[in-house]
Amino acid sequence: MPIGPIVLTIVAVLVFFGFAQRILDRMRLSDKAALVFIAAMFIGAYLPDIPLGNNLGINIGGGLVPLILVGYLLYKANTTRERVRAVVASLIAAVAVWGVERYMPEEPGAMILDPLYMYPLVAGIIGYLAGRSRRSAFIAGVMGVVLTDIFYVVSVAIDGGEASTVIGGAGIFDSVVIAGILAVALAEIIGETRERIQGGPSEDRPEELKKNLKGVEFANMLKQKDEKSEKSKVTSLDEKRKKDKKK
């Protein structure tokens, strides 16, 4: 069984039992929506490709559904700045993957890693570094792989040839799944560590989102602790003044 459906099955189980709630909240994605997209990708991978003409097609699970999900996440983004950052991160990740695909040997034995893992590894890492947030990292990781198919078609057309490819088809489906999950995992692990160190999420996060984050509880604990400390100092100062007056 290909690794893409296996990863999707594991993610679906985690979402169903609520273990991915925190990540989904930060991506502004509900449990039901996440499960619908996962099911659509899983089933779509086994459906016939959609022809787009001129020997070009698109796979439903590896191309069409991820593009719809990316469009949905861009629509749900908080600010225009985040949307622009996600688009720029996607282009940077796509250029990096396209460079690896074009200039590195494709034979599995000639590369450090199998291309199936090398492409999503590059897209996932660069997607996180350029996108930073969970949502932008996921968008960049997925689009970093999907766009390489489009780059391939354009490059062949520029050279005067005629390309025949399926966007998101064949092994690209697995790469899309791995790249998206890896980018979010890096954002979650590194981002969570950074927020723990600084005592909670940034103050510019939406209030609705911060209420759903455990980090806020940690931050509130620190805030309450500081307030108690300040009250304690004031009380001690008042008591000292009273004692001085009695003297």
Side-chain angles (χ1 to χ4, degrees), residues 4 25 54 64 94 123 134 161 199 202:
D25 283 344
N54 295 326
L64 183 60
R134 280 77 169 167
S202 302

Side-chain angles (χ1 to χ4, degrees), residues 129-212:
L129 294 176
R132 302 302 297 273
S133 70
R134 280 77 169 167
R135 181 166 41 214
S136 296
F138 178 83
I139 292 171
V142 170
M143 292 305 295
V145 175
V146 172
L147 285 176
T148 54
D149 276 338
I150 299 175
F151 285 1
Y152 168 72
V153 174
V154 173
S155 64
V156 171
I158 291 175
D159 293 337
E162 187 173 340
S164 176
T165 189
V166 176
I167 298 173
I172 295 299
F173 172 80
D174 295 330
S175 296
V176 168
V177 174
I178 297 173
I181 299 301
L182 176 63
V184 173
L186 289 175
E188 175 64 18
I189 295 172
I190 299 176
E192 173 67 12
T193 301
R194 189 177 66 251
E195 290 181 354
R196 288 288 181 184
I197 293 174
Q198 71 183 21
S202 302
E203 293 299 325
D204 59 351
R205 296 292 184 84
E207 290 298 327
E208 182 182 354
L209 176 61
K210 289 196 291 187
K211 289 179 181 177
N212 296 325

